[in-house]
Amino acid sequence: MALITAVVVVMLTGCRDEEQAEQQTVEGPAGQGGAPATSDRPLAGMTVAVLVADEFEDSELAKPVEAVQKAGAGVVLVAAKAGQQYTGKNGEVTVTSDRAAGNARAEQFDGLVIPGGHAPATMRENQDMVRLVREMVAAGKPVAAICHGPQVLVTAGVLEGLEATCYRSVRGELEGAGAEYHDLPVIVDSNIITSRHPGDLAQFNAALIRALSRQRAGR
């Protein structure tokens, strides 16, 4: 399971123009899985995959991980290689991957998160990461992408006919992939959740937890 232990000074830059700083501590280990859900841990027993590559937007990885772990879910960091360190583009968060994408399958996870930053440009070149995204979408499991993260959805070819959002420079790619773009903090269409930038993280995380909770209820 993922372990992130760092004091993170989250600079909300790069994916948005406004600059804002917030200090937080994100630490593991992740939820143990198998425990019964409670009102304060509605995702207990669930497992969420998070795609990782170098130069991810620090807060867009750290805050969703913190949110789902607080809700009781386990987190597995999926990267090109297992046991390798990856660092955010602001240099504030460093993580060690849990599983190679080649060994990751949709049946192992209840949801998937794609952080933004520069990392999606690398992720979309990894055939196993793209395959995993397709599998998760096809299985009807929540797939949440923020900022530049929807670039991976574009490469996976899963946006045709859906409404979505992203960082503004990715809009052309989204529309070229058949999605209807809206400049909104969060959009949920089918099992795909998208947001624009770090300023949307509160809504993004809330939408992800709601989607995972609904999935649990439908089991």
Side-chain angles (χ1 to χ4, degrees), residues 143 145 147 150-151 153-154 158-167 170-171 173-175 177-190 192-196:
V143 174
C147 194
Q151 288 180 313
L153 302 178
V154 169
V158 296
L159 291 175
E160 179 71 38
L162 299 184
E163 298 183 31
T165 192
C166 58
Y167 186 60
V170 183
R171 175 177 179 173
E173 286 194 57
L174 224 67
E175 293 175 332
E180 182 178 344
Y181 170 85
H182 298 281
D183 185 16
L184 294 171
V186 64
I187 293 178
V188 181
D189 194 345
S190 185
I192 294 179
I193 302 162
T194 52
S195 285
R196 303 168 301 181

Side-chain angles (χ1 to χ4, degrees), residues 116-135:
H118 302 151
T122 300
M123 295 172 183
R124 71 194 308 187
E125 297 297 322
N126 185 300
Q127 294 182 1
D128 286 311
M129 286 189 177
V130 174
R131 170 195 50 76
L132 179 60
V133 169
R134 288 197 192 105
E135 288 180 357

